[in-house]
Amino acid sequence: MAGASGKTPAPAMRCRQYEAEIKLTQWPIIYSSEYNIGFCGLEKLHPFDAGKWGRIFNFLKDAGMLRDDTIIEPMEASETELLLVHTKRYISSLRLTNIVEGINEWSMNVAGITEVPPVALLPNFVVQKKVLRPFRFQTSGTIMAGRLALDRGWAINIGGGFHHCSAERGGGFCAYADITLAIKFAFEKVESVAKVMIIDLDAHQGNGHERDFMNDQRVYILDVYNRGIYPHDGFAKRAIKRKVELGHFTDDETYLTLIRRHVDGALNEFEPDLVVYNAGTDILEGDPLGNLSITAQGVIERDQIVFQKCRTRGIPIFMVTSGGYQRETARIVADSILNLKNLGLISWTEAENAPLIEAPVSALPRSGSDGGLFARFKRSCLSRPSTSSSLNIAALVSPSEELVPPPTLDSVNMNAGTPSLHSIETNVGALTLNSDKTGTGLCLSKEKDFFEPGTSAQNDYMHSTKVKCANHDVNGLSSSEGHNVNEINSTVHDSVDKTNSSVHYDVRKTNSSVHQNVKERNDSVLNDKNETNVGVLVDVNETNSCLHNDVSVTEVTASFAETTSPITSVPAVSIHIDEQSDVTDLKQS
């Protein structure tokens, strides 16, 4: 719609801070790691603690109030947004300054604003990134704090408060007029905002916003400051509606009495729709620039008074941290915020009860350690090709005993049509059938039963039973009664539960209940803890067994008695050996 002049009003300026999505689980507290300033150590030439904002956040985080996911991180203020207040000439002056003919890369204006002369000699792109960029992030945070205060009743920007900067000039470590910008965006974006109050309790006069709102009756300024220090801006004082000038070394009692009286008086005189609280901590005793004598407890009580006066009246309020030139001020600001929370003057239930967000496993860092010597040894063992277990008889006897080297035995072939499985006689009551193709095996174990080789007892035992082995595919092994391997395995394991003997069918992926440690010379057999006292694994694929001879095997038969009644003993095992076999070399384990 055309106005009275016939011209169409300019469209409202876009403000990303008012468009940004904010979660309910986030506190109305704004902070970014981009706030902190550091440029080649030159920031230390100024008494201002250029890293205090990050330390405030860390204190609140350590106290359990804030988490990384429950705060609001602002974006960098754009030039378009800054131009709502600042002139193009001023913005350009922050970029380049032509102090020498033909050379315009100097940063004279920024050096004056930051009060660090060597900055003038730095290339401007360095100054933009290391000094002005953090200021732009903090400025954006103040604009966003105005929006949040109107939405949620209160907000805190852990930064900002550049009250010495006006639309056309900066100074006093203030490069952008964040307070003026926040107020003007509130006027433009929120129709219900018609009046705003600035309560400026920094030790210095807030001459920047005072110049910006000199003739604006919508803005009421209460300024309490030390009259004997910077900036001594008499012109800007004309904009102050309630002026409270302090002398050097003002103490808690005098100061807090004045704060109560004048905050009450200002709110009674002017009923704002929004309060901007500039909470500088340079009033702290010992501050080299504030030159007042307010204790840490006095600073905390001051903040409490301001929030109580506004919150009890239902007036939205947002706080910016402004000045403070001692390292302990970060701790004091954090303690003050925690005090406001403990008193219930600031709260946000959704953020306090926000569930923890677990980092995805893929995001976890990977260790560069190889696990040490044991882990490397284990990996080395696992990386070797899997073969059937072998029994090295030479490793099982005492070094003092002489062992006759066993005859060589060709590898056993379990393939169909190659009935080369040999008959083996043993006096330890254990038999293992293995396939070098599949790794499957059948292990029949009985209690320890040793005989001296060549005795009648041995011969009687060896000829008492007979085992017949046919040429079977181990993977498809089936009994004469038609039972498959799984049924045999199930039956055998059921029997184990009821007897002291064990019958195991090993299918490559399970561990044998009895393991032969071929590396130990003196410990030949490991006892199985649950089922067997002795287990000896005989690997028919290997050629080292002393039991192997050029034996012509005619038949080995293994029989399993199928019964539904509990098994009370291990089935009898008969091993038949050709008369040509030589068992005299059998050693007792």
Side-chain angles (χ1 to χ4, degrees):
M1 180 181 295
S5 62
K7 295 181 180 180
T8 302
M13 178 179 292
R14 181 184 177 187
C15 180
R16 294 171 302 150
Q17 291 78 7
Y18 276 78
E19 298 171 359
E21 181 181 357
I22 297 174
K23 299 178 182 178
L24 285 175
T25 55
Q26 292 176 305
W27 286 92
I29 296 177
I30 302 98
Y31 168 75
S32 170
S33 59
E34 298 287 349
Y35 280 15
N36 302 293
I37 298 173
F39 48 102
C40 308
L42 293 179
E43 70 279 2
K44 296 179 181 179
L45 297 177
H46 192 281
F48 192 89
D49 181 7
K52 79 170 185 177
W53 306 287
R55 295 195 296 110
I56 292 171
F57 170 70
N58 288 332
F59 284 135
L60 294 174
K61 189 176 177 181
D62 292 342
M65 178 179 177
L66 302 181
R67 302 198 312 256
D68 291 332
D69 61 310
T70 59
I71 62 162
I72 298 169
E73 294 191 36
M75 67 288 289
E76 180 181 357
S78 68
E79 182 173 326
T80 301
E81 291 159 348
L82 295 174
L83 287 173
L84 178 66
V85 170
H86 292 292
T87 63
K88 288 186 177 181
R89 179 180 178 181
Y90 174 72
I91 296 296
S92 297
S93 73
L94 297 177
R95 295 196 186 101
L96 305 173
T97 303
N98 190 347
I99 59 174
V100 178
E101 185 176 356
I103 301 177
N104 60 354
E105 292 293 332
W106 308 103
S107 305
M108 286 294 294
N109 196 23
V110 180
I113 291 170
T114 59
E115 300 174 345
V116 181
V119 170
L121 303 178
L122 294 176
N124 190 258
F125 73 88
V126 175
V127 173
Q128 288 290 329
K129 182 176 181 180
K130 297 296 185 179
V131 183
L132 296 178
R133 188 168 183 265
F135 283 152
R136 289 193 289 268
F137 270 93
Q138 293 191 43
T139 297
S140 179
T142 301
I143 298 171
M144 189 170 282
R147 169 204 169 175
L148 286 166
L150 293 169
D151 289 343
R152 301 187 180 182
W154 68 274
I156 296 173
N157 180 22
I158 304 179
F162 305 133
H163 64 157
H164 294 307
C165 185
S166 63
E168 295 185 354
R169 73 177 187 179
F173 215 74
C174 302
Y176 301 106
D178 65 323
I179 292 176
T180 302
L181 281 162
I183 292 172
K184 290 203 170 184
F185 271 117
F187 282 145
E188 182 172 314
K189 296 296 180 181
V190 184
E191 292 183 1
S192 60
V193 177
K195 296 187 294 183
V196 176
M197 177 180 289
I198 299 174
I199 299 178
D200 194 337
L201 303 186
D202 186 273
H204 299 83
Q205 174 196 349
N207 60 320
H209 56 73
E210 289 165 3
R211 284 177 171 269
D212 287 335
F213 295 110
M214 179 68 68
N215 300 311
D216 195 332
Q217 299 304 314
R218 299 174 300 172
V219 179
Y220 185 103
I221 299 174
L222 162 63
D223 199 348
V224 181
Y225 58 91
N226 184 346
R227 64 174 175 267
I229 59 176
Y230 175 88
H232 304 290
D233 192 338
F235 175 78
K237 290 180 182 179
R238 301 176 186 177
I240 302 174
K241 300 297 191 295
R242 185 173 287 256
K243 177 175 62 177
V244 181
E245 295 186 330
L246 305 173
H248 293 304
F249 309 113
T250 299
D251 60 12
D252 283 6
E253 184 177 359
T254 302
Y255 181 77
L256 294 175
T257 299
L258 291 171
I259 295 300
R260 288 189 184 93
R261 181 195 309 163
H262 289 285
V263 170
D264 258 337
L267 292 173
N268 291 334
E269 183 179 330
F270 185 85
E271 297 180 1
D273 301 311
L274 176 66
V275 169
V276 181
Y277 174 36
N278 193 49
T281 50
D282 48 2
I283 62 171
L284 186 67
E285 58 184 349
D287 190 279
L289 300 181
N291 209 26
L292 298 176
S293 297
I294 311 304
T295 66
Q297 189 57 40
V299 174
I300 294 172
E301 188 173 346
R302 176 201 68 175
D303 295 345
Q304 178 180 323
I305 291 170
V306 174
F307 269 81
Q308 281 178 331
K309 300 296 184 183
C310 294
R311 298 288 282 155
T312 54
R313 286 173 168 81
I315 302 172
I317 177 175
F318 73 87
M319 182 177 96
V320 289
T321 56
S322 198
Y325 303 94
Q326 301 180 81
R327 284 191 62 82
E328 56 263 38
T329 59
R331 174 79 266 180
I332 295 170
V333 172
D335 288 342
S336 179
I337 293 173
L338 291 171
N339 179 62
L340 296 176
K341 176 180 178 291
N342 293 335
L343 294 175
L345 294 173
I346 60 173
S347 63
W348 195 252
T349 305
E350 290 82 354
E352 294 180 47
N353 300 327
L356 289 170
I357 300 177
E358 296 184 3
V361 176
S362 59
L364 295 176
R366 297 184 65 85
S367 173
S369 172
D370 62 359
L373 179 62
F374 179 78
R376 291 196 299 271
F377 175 74
K378 181 179 178 182
R379 288 195 298 270
S380 176
C381 293
L382 293 177
S383 65
R384 295 176 180 175
S386 177
T387 60
S388 299
S389 299
S390 62
L391 179 64
N392 189 345
I393 300 300
L396 301 181
V397 298
S398 172
S400 62
E401 295 180 294
E402 294 184 1
L403 183 63
V404 178
T408 303
L409 181 65
D410 294 334
S411 299
V412 178
N413 190 342
M414 297 293 289
N415 291 334
T418 313
S420 59
L421 183 65
H422 295 274
S423 172
I424 302 170
E425 293 180 359
T426 178
N427 62 350
V428 296
L431 177 64
T432 301
L433 303 180
N434 288 319
S435 168
D436 59 351
K437 296 291 186 180
T438 64
T440 15
L442 177 64
C443 176
L444 306 178
S445 300
K446 66 188 291 297
E447 292 188 4
K448 182 177 181 181
D449 189 5
F450 292 97
F451 301 100
E452 290 295 327
T455 64
S456 60
Q458 180 196 32
N459 294 332
D460 292 340
Y461 176 80
M462 290 164 52
H463 292 84
S464 64
T465 57
K466 181 180 292 184
V467 178
K468 182 178 181 179
C469 290
N471 182 32
H472 293 293
D473 182 0
V474 176
N475 288 329
L477 184 65
S478 61
S479 69
S480 59
E481 290 81 9
H483 293 284
N484 58 30
V485 175
N486 292 332
E487 292 171 335
I488 293 174
N489 186 57
S490 176
T491 302
V492 170
H493 281 282
D494 289 340
S495 300
V496 171
D497 295 334
K498 300 173 183 178
T499 67
N500 292 326
S501 300
S502 64
V503 181
H504 295 281
Y505 181 76
D506 184 350
V507 193
R508 188 191 302 183
K509 294 183 180 179
T510 62
N511 294 324
S512 173
S513 63
V514 180
H515 295 276
Q516 176 63 47
N517 187 342
V518 296
K519 293 187 177 180
E520 297 290 336
R521 295 183 59 83
N522 298 323
D523 187 7
S524 62
V525 180
L526 296 179
N527 290 334
D528 187 301
K529 294 181 180 179
N530 297 321
E531 274 105 24
T532 65
N533 295 322
V534 177
V536 179
L537 302 179
V538 181
D539 186 348
V540 296
N541 290 330
E542 302 293 333
T543 63
N544 295 326
S545 173
C546 70
L547 298 178
H548 293 179
N549 203 345
D550 291 331
V551 181
S552 256
V553 180
T554 58
E555 58 182 5
V556 178
T557 305
S559 308
F560 293 94
E562 178 181 0
T563 178
T564 57
S565 62
I567 296 175
T568 59
S569 64
V570 177
V573 179
S574 176
I575 304 176
H576 174 75
I577 297 186
D578 195 302
E579 295 300 329
Q580 298 177 7
S581 63
D582 183 1
V583 296
T584 60
D585 298 326
L586 183 63
K587 290 294 182 177
Q588 181 172 340
S589 178

